[in-house]
Amino acid sequence: MKRFLIALLSISLSLTLALFYSSLKADARSTTQSTTTVAQSSAQVVPTPKSPDLEILGTSVRYLKDADLLIFEQTVKGTAGKTLPQPKGSVDGAPVLGYVFPTTLKPEDAGFGKVEGILALAVTSHPDFDDTPLWDENNNSNYADDGIIFHSHWVVLVKDDRVPGSLSVKQFDKTDKTVVLPPTNPGMPMYFDSPGFPVLLKGNKLSVLVPAQRIQSKTKFKFDGVVAYMQVNATNKSLPMVGVYQAYSVSSGDLSLPYSVQPQ
């Protein structure tokens, strides 16, 4: 597959995301060092097998004015959320399966500081760890055992040639006191948040309910839809903590973020 290639926000977003999609097919890296790194990381990665559950048929965001509510939706060929990643048995190397909505919203719209990157709403499942300490997705009064339940995140994505997908969640130094994160972040050194937005899975449709007030009341933006396999790295400093390794489907076909919010 071509590799993901997304530049930062200073580059034309449409061109950037088109390149991001086209990069999903493998090709030669620009340097021997990057080729070696990607080869090493790929050897340790076994993505969740493809299935109709990961094949997008459509993506939309509706704005319900009376409720001041945004509904992010993806429909798939199979059953939304039915395919789950198999546990690794440890956080290092843990698989992450995600239905992702890249947007033209700014990171600061979701409560992050002013940083470069692509703000995306990601609905993920990862059975090896729980990163939503404020929320009990399976309603069993245990707030630390439901990572496998599909749940919502805000992430800031940046170009990263160290992984086959050339994309990772933006990291920062733990000692950097200038970093601003939303108060619902789970305490990881990444631009990553666990906002607790409800995720609804019904048949072939996945929906995420996002109060507009939680994104600075922004109701006019562009977006796209992607289903991707990601993986956690907790030991190899030459690799990102969370990198993208495979995209199963892209709603627009070229990741040009062509879709607009539909008011209702």
Side-chain angles (χ1 to χ4, degrees), residues 217-230:
S217 297
K218 299 294 176 63
T219 59
K220 295 181 180 180
F221 53 88
K222 296 286 190 176
F223 60 91
D224 213 326
V226 182
V227 182
Y229 176 83
M230 296 159 276

Side-chain angles (χ1 to χ4, degrees), residues 166-183:
S166 290
L167 182 70
S168 69
V169 178
K170 187 179 181 70
Q171 296 174 218
F172 58 82
D173 190 323
K174 292 181 180 180
T175 63
D176 187 349
K177 303 299 182 182
T178 67
V179 172
V180 176
L181 300 175

Side-chain angles (χ1 to χ4, degrees), residues 65-76:
K65 185 176 180 180
D66 288 346
D68 197 29
L69 182 71
L70 291 154
I71 304 179
F72 288 70
E73 293 181 329
Q74 285 186 20
T75 55
V76 296

Side-chain angles (χ1 to χ4, degrees), residues 40-139:
Q40 290 174 342
S41 63
S42 298
Q44 302 170 10
V45 175
V46 181
T48 300
K50 295 180 181 179
S51 80
D53 306 335
L54 310 176
E55 185 176 341
I56 299 176
L57 295 179
T59 301
S60 66
V61 177
R62 295 181 288 131
Y63 174 58
L64 308 185
K65 185 176 180 180
D66 288 346
D68 197 29
L69 182 71
L70 291 154
I71 304 179
F72 288 70
E73 293 181 329
Q74 285 186 20
T75 55
V76 296
K77 188 174 182 179
T79 301
K82 181 178 179 181
T83 294
L84 298 170
Q86 294 300 307
K88 167 75 173 180
S90 65
V91 173
D92 189 35
V96 179
L97 198 59
Y99 296 84
V100 185
F101 299 83
T103 76
T104 57
L105 291 165
K106 297 178 181 179
E108 47 265 46
D109 292 332
F112 297 101
K114 190 174 182 179
V115 296
E116 294 183 327
I118 305 298
L119 181 68
L121 180 64
V123 178
T124 66
S125 170
H126 38 73
D128 293 294
F129 63 98
D130 187 303
D131 54 8
T132 59
L134 298 177
W135 319 112
D136 179 20
E137 286 87 355
N138 59 7
N139 299 312

Side-chain angles (χ1 to χ4, degrees), residues 172-223:
F172 58 82
D173 190 323
K174 292 181 180 180
T175 63
D176 187 349
K177 303 299 182 182
T178 67
V179 172
V180 176
L181 300 175
T184 47
N185 79 86
M188 301 175 182
M190 296 182 290
Y191 287 91
F192 177 84
D193 184 37
S194 300
F197 301 141
V199 174
L200 307 178
L201 299 169
K202 186 175 182 180
N204 72 335
K205 182 181 290 187
L206 173 147
S207 304
V208 191
L209 310 183
V210 180
Q213 186 271 339
R214 295 283 298 274
I215 52 171
Q216 303 295 316
S217 297
K218 299 294 176 63
T219 59
K220 295 181 180 180
F221 53 88
K222 296 286 190 176
F223 60 91

Side-chain angles (χ1 to χ4, degrees), residues 127 129-130 136-138 140-149:
F129 63 98
D130 187 303
D136 179 20
E137 286 87 355
N138 59 7
N140 68 348
S141 299
N142 184 343
Y143 286 71
D145 72 342
D146 40 26
I148 195 170
I149 306 296

